[in-house]
């Protein structure tokens, strides 16, 4: 009898394609997505896109950059005009990080922490991993490509600090030590390290932590907007099963009013959800929603329109309530994983980041990122919002066509 | 049975045709209905009753023929506002109160906001639901839910109310309550077209019946007219057997021009002119080996009309 129950459960699973999809297909897809993300993040196969500006163009800087260019994990974006252009590339996400060999710092040959370091990294806090990887690759390039500089400086250090010297030399050492002591007294570090060559500058100013919060607020908001929209849109199928759709279809408004009415409800529901999440982000974490209220409202409205349209589309594409409980869940989970709602996009390998652009999650996230990270002006956000709105309305139009199937002709 | 209003028909269907793939759901159906009458659509499953109802409320476009309601096309939203539709299922938001349901369906039927409250109050009153207006629909009895289901289709005071099996699944008491409700609507001057498989209900309610089969209306008239036309002075004989008949007895019953009902032991037929033929019939059946429990004659009813016109035994 136990085996009979086992067989009954097995048969039910095999006959329920939705349950089968959730039990077998979705876990496998999720495993693949997250394996790709974390394997890439944990391996040395991270591809870092670096915007490079050489303000010095000395023999040393050219040798260093050529060596860096030959590193497998570094993809150099060349032809960047100046520091501002590099900054812009990082803010837009075209480059993960920018490297400036700066004219207003010490030279690569003589850097000793006495002035601004010769190398400047422009870092988006959301892509700290990229900056860390690049620092390591820079060290390797430096010691590989400029051994004369590196060893010369080490020999000098040893010569001044570790060998036996003649009295005359000792006097000179004493003078040097006095000089070092004086330098130390003035807050300058003695000795030498690669760090003296390199300075990190946060392209997002002082709001690094806030950017992460803003990212997750957008990511979580949009994913839940989608789930809530699909969940509520299932009501259309409930109305169909109860005969309510049949009744309304016989009235003057027809099924059109059912879809439109539900759509407006879902948009408002999305706006309220987005407001709650960003209010928490503002009150508890200081994300500057009030300071960007107009643009935030526009993005949130556009995102709510898209989520509402997609929710309706996913549900009206189903023929039964059972299907509608599975299909939207599967699609939204996968879109959210690929689109950056679960794991930040900057952790993902390049191909997955590219793939993310086919998901609405990425479009919504990029719109929020444009506002809260990159500080894009309203005008720059308009095309993104237009994209969200357009896609949402297109999904609504298709939902109208699909909803016609829900009532018999 | 109320007197028919002999005015211009409210509903006129002429040669309505509609195919779904290879199947002809309507194949030249004709129908008329007047204000202040109940017209019951009868026929076996697949006869085209539901398609005709949907065409009447403008949902189903015809391939040919025409439907006019008060002179207009039911696809026209202005004409649709004159039609009410009551689905077979309890098409209500059962988690909401009676009042909320009526308000929402009133708006969906095209009622203006200013007219809504008066219409809801009026509907609650005549349907006997006023005392339960605040109750959640799911907590009410099946009979009461049926009444709300009907009331929700009448808020906008339609000229024509279409009902798809409005009493299915109800016990006799609840069914009687629904019948009273429908009678009130008829007396208020509304035209009601309803489908049912319950011939007793049809006999009790219908001013006229329309019998459909294979997508066409085979006959449409008052029951008395139909009986007169089909049976003349003939009477109907009802035979009840003590046990289920063997195949040889079935053949003998058919030879005697009797037809089975849904119950295998009950057979019905026509008796030429009167009682004088009954002993002869009885002898023939006994000779064939039939174990007769009851044999009686009666005036023909809708059951006989149904069999005569559709050639099928009704599913009651």
């Amino acid at each position: 009898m136990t085996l009979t129950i086992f067989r009954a459960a097995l048969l039910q699973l095999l006959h329920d394609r939705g349950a089968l999809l959730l039990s077998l297909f979705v876990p496998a897809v999720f495993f693949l997505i997250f394996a790709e993300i974390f394997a890439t993040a944990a391996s040395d196969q991270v591809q870092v896109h670096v915007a490079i500006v050489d303000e010095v163009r000395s023999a040393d800087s050219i040798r260093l950059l050529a060596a860096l260019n030959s590193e497998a994990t570094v993809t150099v974006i060349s032809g960047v005009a100046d520091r501002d252009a590099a900054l812009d590339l990082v803010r837009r996400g075209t480059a993960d990080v920018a490297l400036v060999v700066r004219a207003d710092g010490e030279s690569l040959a003589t850097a000793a922490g006495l002035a601004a370091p010769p190398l400047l990294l422009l870092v988006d806090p959301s892509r700290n991993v990229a900056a860390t990887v690049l620092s390591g690759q820079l060290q390797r390039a430096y010691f590989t490509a400029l051994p004369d500089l590196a060893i010369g400086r080490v020999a000098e250090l040893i010569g001044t600090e570790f060998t036996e010297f003649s009295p005359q030399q000792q006097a000179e050492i004493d003078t040097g030590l006095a000089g070092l002591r004086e330098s130390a007294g003035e807050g300058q570090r003695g000795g030498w390290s690669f760090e003296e060559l390199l300075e990190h500058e946060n392209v997002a100013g002082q709001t690094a932590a806030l950017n992460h919060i803003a990212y997750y607020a957008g990511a979580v908001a949009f994913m839940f907007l989608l789930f809530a929209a699909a969940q509520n849109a299932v009501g259309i199928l409930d109305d169909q099963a109860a005969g309510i759709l049949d009744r309304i279809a016989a009235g003057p408004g027809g099924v059109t009013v059912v879809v439109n009415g539900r759509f407006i409800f879902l948009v408002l529901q999305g706006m309220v959800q987005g407001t709650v999440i960003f209010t928490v982000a503002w009150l508890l974490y200081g994300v500057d929603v009030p300071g960007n209220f107009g643009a935030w409202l526009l993005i949130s409205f556009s995102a709510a329109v898209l989520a509402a349209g997609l929710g309706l589309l996913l549900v009206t594409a189903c023929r039964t309530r059972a299907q509608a409980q599975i299909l939207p869940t599967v699609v939204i989970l996968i879109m959210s994983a690929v689109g950056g709602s679960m794991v930040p996009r900057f952790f993902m390998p390049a191909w997955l980041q590219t793939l993310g652009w086919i998901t609405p999650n990425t479009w919504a996230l990029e719109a929020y990122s444009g506002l809260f990270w990159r500080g894009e002006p309203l005008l720059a956000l308009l095309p993104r919002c237009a994209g969200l709105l357009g896609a949402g309305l297109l999904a609504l139009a298709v939902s109208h066509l699909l909803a016609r199937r829900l009532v018999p002709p | 049975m109320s007197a028919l209003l002999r005015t211009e028909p409210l509903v006129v269907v002429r040669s309505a045709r509609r195919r779904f793939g290879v199947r002809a759901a309507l194949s030249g159906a004709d129908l008329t209905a007047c204000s202040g009458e109940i017209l019951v659509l009868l026929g076996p499953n697949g006869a085209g009753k539901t398609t005709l109802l949907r065409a009447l409320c403008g949902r189903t476009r015809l391939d040919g023929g025409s439907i006019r309601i008060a002179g207009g096309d039911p696809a026209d939203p202005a004409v649709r506002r004159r039609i009410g539709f009551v689905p077979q299922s309890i098409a209500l938001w059962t988690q909401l109160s009676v009042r909320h349901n009526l308000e929402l369906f009133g708006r969906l039927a095209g009622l203006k906001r200013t007219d809504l409250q008066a219409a809801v109050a009026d509907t609650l009153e005549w349907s006997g639901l006023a005392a339960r207006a605040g109750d959640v629909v799911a907590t009410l009895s099946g009979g009461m839910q049926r009444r709300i289901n009907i009331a929700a289709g009448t808020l906008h005071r339609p000229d024509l109310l279409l009902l798809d099996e409005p009493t299915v699944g109800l016990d006799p008491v609840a069914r009687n309550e629904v019948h009273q409700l429908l009678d009130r609507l008829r007396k208020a001057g509304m035209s009601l077209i309803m489908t049912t498989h319950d011939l007793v209900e049809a006999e009790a309610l219908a001013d006229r019946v329309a019998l459909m089969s294979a997508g066409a209306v085979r006959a449409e008239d008052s029951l008395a007219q139909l009986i007169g036309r089909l049976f003349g002075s003939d009477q109907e004989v009802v035979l009840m057997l003590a046990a289920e008949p063997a195949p040889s007895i079935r053949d003998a019953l058919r030879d005697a021009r009797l037809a089975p009902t849904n119950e295998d032991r009950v057979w019905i037929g026509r008796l030429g002119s009167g009682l004088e033929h009954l002993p002869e019939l009885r002898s023939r059946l006994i000779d064939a080996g039939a174990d007769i429990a009851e044999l009686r004659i009666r005036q023909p009813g809708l059951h006989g009309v149904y069999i005569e016109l559709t050639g099928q035994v009704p599913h009651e």
Side-chain angles (χ1 to χ4, degrees):
Chain A
M1 277 193 276
T2 305
L3 275 180
T4 308
I5 296 298
F6 166 80
R7 185 160 175 263
L10 183 64
L11 285 172
Q12 282 171 342
L13 178 66
L14 292 176
H15 281 89
D16 186 344
R17 288 180 194 170
L20 207 58
L21 197 69
L22 262 190
S23 329
L24 303 176
F25 174 71
V26 175
V29 169
F30 262 69
F31 169 72
L32 281 174
I33 293 170
F34 286 108
E36 272 298 319
I37 293 168
F38 291 114
T40 304
S43 77
D44 59 356
Q45 292 173 9
V46 178
Q47 270 298 320
V48 181
H49 292 77
V50 188
I52 288 183
V53 181
D54 188 354
E55 295 175 347
V56 180
R57 299 200 62 77
S58 65
D60 292 339
S61 71
I62 290 168
R63 276 199 292 161
L64 175 70
L65 294 180
L68 187 66
N69 201 7
S70 67
E71 292 290 342
T73 54
V74 173
T75 302
V76 168
I77 301 171
S78 51
V80 183
D82 54 24
R83 204 180 293 192
D84 288 341
L87 198 65
D88 195 45
L89 285 174
V90 176
R91 280 182 172 157
R92 285 180 181 283
T94 310
D96 297 313
V97 60
L99 170 65
V100 181
V101 185
R102 65 211 244 182
D104 57 344
E106 294 180 280
S107 79
L108 280 166
T110 60
L114 300 173
L119 300 175
L120 172 66
L121 289 189
L122 304 177
V123 183
D124 184 327
S126 67
R127 298 183 182 88
N128 264 334
V129 174
T132 307
V133 170
L134 182 64
S135 296
Q137 299 301 349
L138 260 177
Q139 289 199 33
R140 194 150 79 178
Y142 177 77
F143 287 111
T144 306
L146 306 173
D148 49 333
L149 279 190
I151 294 169
R153 294 188 65 209
V154 171
E156 184 186 335
L157 202 65
I158 293 171
T160 52
E161 297 192 30
F162 301 106
T163 55
E164 297 248 342
F165 297 105
S166 65
Q168 187 185 347
Q169 288 170 323
Q170 190 58 53
E172 288 169 6
I173 289 166
D174 290 344
T175 309
L177 284 173
L180 278 176
R181 270 196 298 276
E182 196 175 79
S183 299
E186 290 168 8
Q188 294 169 0
R189 279 190 294 166
W192 168 83
S193 82
F194 180 79
E195 288 303 315
E196 290 168 358
L197 297 175
L198 195 61
E199 183 185 358
H200 289 62
E201 185 178 309
N202 180 354
V203 300
Q206 298 304 308
T207 58
L210 288 184
N211 286 336
H212 286 282
I213 300 297
Y215 180 95
Y216 285 115
V220 169
F222 192 73
M223 182 170 68
F224 278 93
L225 249 63
L226 283 173
F227 273 123
Q231 172 77 19
N232 187 281
V234 171
I236 288 184
L237 297 182
D238 290 336
D239 288 353
Q240 180 205 26
I244 293 170
L245 223 52
D246 220 19
R247 186 198 286 278
I248 297 172
V255 181
T256 305
V257 299
V258 175
V259 177
N260 284 342
R262 189 71 68 163
F263 177 74
I264 292 169
F265 175 85
L266 293 179
V267 171
L268 289 178
Q269 175 183 265
M271 292 291 290
V272 171
Q273 282 184 310
T275 303
V276 168
I277 290 173
F278 274 94
T279 301
V280 172
W282 166 47
L283 293 176
L284 298 187
Y285 299 100
V287 173
D288 189 15
V289 177
N292 299 285
F293 185 75
W296 169 83
L297 192 67
L298 179 65
I299 294 171
S300 295
F301 174 71
S302 308
V305 165
L306 179 55
L310 282 174
L312 280 170
L313 177 65
L314 288 169
V315 169
T316 51
C318 299
R319 287 191 178 273
T320 64
R321 196 180 202 287
Q323 281 181 4
Q325 284 172 326
I326 301 287
L327 178 77
T329 306
V330 170
V331 173
I332 293 169
L333 278 175
I334 293 175
M335 285 195 313
S336 299
V338 174
S341 281
M342 295 181 178
V343 176
R345 280 168 49 71
F346 41 81
F347 280 167
M348 297 179 180
W351 70 269
L352 206 51
Q353 288 192 34
T354 307
L355 190 67
W357 281 105
I358 67 171
T359 71
N361 301 62
T362 294
W363 310 343
L365 278 176
E366 285 298 321
Y368 281 119
S369 302
L371 176 64
F372 289 111
W373 292 7
R374 301 188 283 274
E376 288 176 1
L378 188 60
L379 209 60
L381 292 169
L382 285 179
R384 294 184 191 278
C385 292
L388 294 172
L389 283 170
L393 294 176
L394 181 66
L396 174 66
V398 178
S399 302
H400 272 293
L401 293 177
L402 293 172
R404 289 185 192 171
R405 301 175 315 156
L406 299 177
V407 287
Chain B
M1 203 176 288
S2 72
L4 299 186
L5 297 179
R6 296 296 176 198
T7 56
E8 188 70 18
L10 179 73
V11 178
V12 179
V13 181
R14 290 281 171 262
S15 304
R17 290 189 302 283
R18 173 66 206 236
R19 297 188 76 84
F20 294 112
V22 294
R23 189 176 67 85
L26 292 176
S27 52
D30 296 297
L31 194 78
T32 55
C34 298
S35 298
E37 73 164 355
I38 296 179
L39 174 69
V40 175
L41 282 178
L42 293 170
N45 288 330
K49 303 186 297 294
T50 303
T51 304
L52 184 55
L53 273 193
R54 290 204 171 109
L56 282 168
C57 62
R59 287 264 310 279
T60 297
R61 297 294 176 94
L62 298 179
D63 298 330
S66 67
I67 294 179
R68 283 285 175 271
I69 293 171
D73 184 343
D76 177 356
V79 176
R80 281 200 191 195
R81 285 192 172 84
R82 304 181 67 170
I83 304 169
F85 176 64
V86 179
Q88 184 179 335
S89 53
I90 303 291
L92 301 167
W93 283 296
T94 54
Q95 300 308 312
L96 303 183
S97 70
V98 176
R99 181 183 295 283
H100 278 145
N101 269 282
L102 294 182
E103 287 174 354
L104 293 168
F105 285 118
R107 289 288 287 158
L108 286 167
L111 268 181
K112 290 177 184 166
R113 200 177 295 276
T114 48
D115 301 331
L116 187 64
Q117 289 311 319
V120 169
D122 188 39
T123 303
L124 285 169
E125 194 58 41
W126 70 256
S127 60
L129 295 163
R132 312 299 295 268
D135 290 11
V136 169
V137 170
T139 63
L140 300 176
S141 69
M144 207 164 275
Q145 290 184 5
R146 282 276 163 204
R147 280 155 60 192
I148 303 164
N149 203 33
I150 294 168
T154 63
L155 280 148
H156 56 304
R157 286 281 173 223
D159 297 319
L160 171 65
L161 185 63
L162 305 164
L163 305 104
D164 194 2
E165 300 194 40
T167 59
V168 70
L170 290 185
D171 61 49
V173 175
R175 183 179 310 179
N176 194 42
E177 287 174 356
V178 171
H179 287 179
Q180 289 173 11
L181 199 67
L182 298 179
D183 189 44
R184 253 173 265 162
L185 293 171
R186 165 171 56 190
K187 284 175 177 159
M190 206 175 278
S191 173
L192 287 83
I193 299 179
M194 59 178 274
T195 65
T196 182
H197 284 291
D198 183 341
L199 299 192
V200 176
E201 175 174 82
E203 283 181 340
L205 278 177
D207 293 301
R208 294 189 304 127
V209 293
L211 269 140
M212 294 189 73
S213 72
V217 177
R218 302 296 167 193
E220 175 197 345
D221 214 329
S222 68
L223 186 54
Q225 292 285 339
L226 284 174
I227 290 170
R229 194 190 314 158
L230 292 169
F231 287 87
S233 60
D234 282 5
Q235 290 170 303
E236 198 173 45
V237 59
V238 180
L239 169 74
M240 189 178 289
L241 299 168
E244 287 191 7
S248 61
I249 296 175
R250 284 174 178 275
D251 292 343
L253 290 167
R254 288 201 175 91
D255 287 346
R257 303 180 72 84
L258 291 172
T261 64
N262 293 334
E263 266 192 90
D264 219 17
R265 296 185 302 124
V266 181
W267 292 65
I268 289 178
R270 289 171 70 159
L271 200 60
S273 51
L275 288 169
E276 66 273 15
H277 297 287
L278 199 57
E280 184 194 331
L281 176 64
R282 180 172 171 274
S283 301
R284 282 171 60 192
L285 294 174
I286 289 173
D287 289 347
D291 187 3
I292 298 173
E294 185 181 333
L295 181 64
R296 59 191 166 92
I297 60 168
R298 66 182 183 190
Q299 289 299 320
L302 192 50
H303 193 278
V305 170
Y306 189 100
I307 294 172
E308 284 290 324
L309 288 171
T310 65
Q312 295 185 40
V313 177
H315 295 277
E316 292 184 67

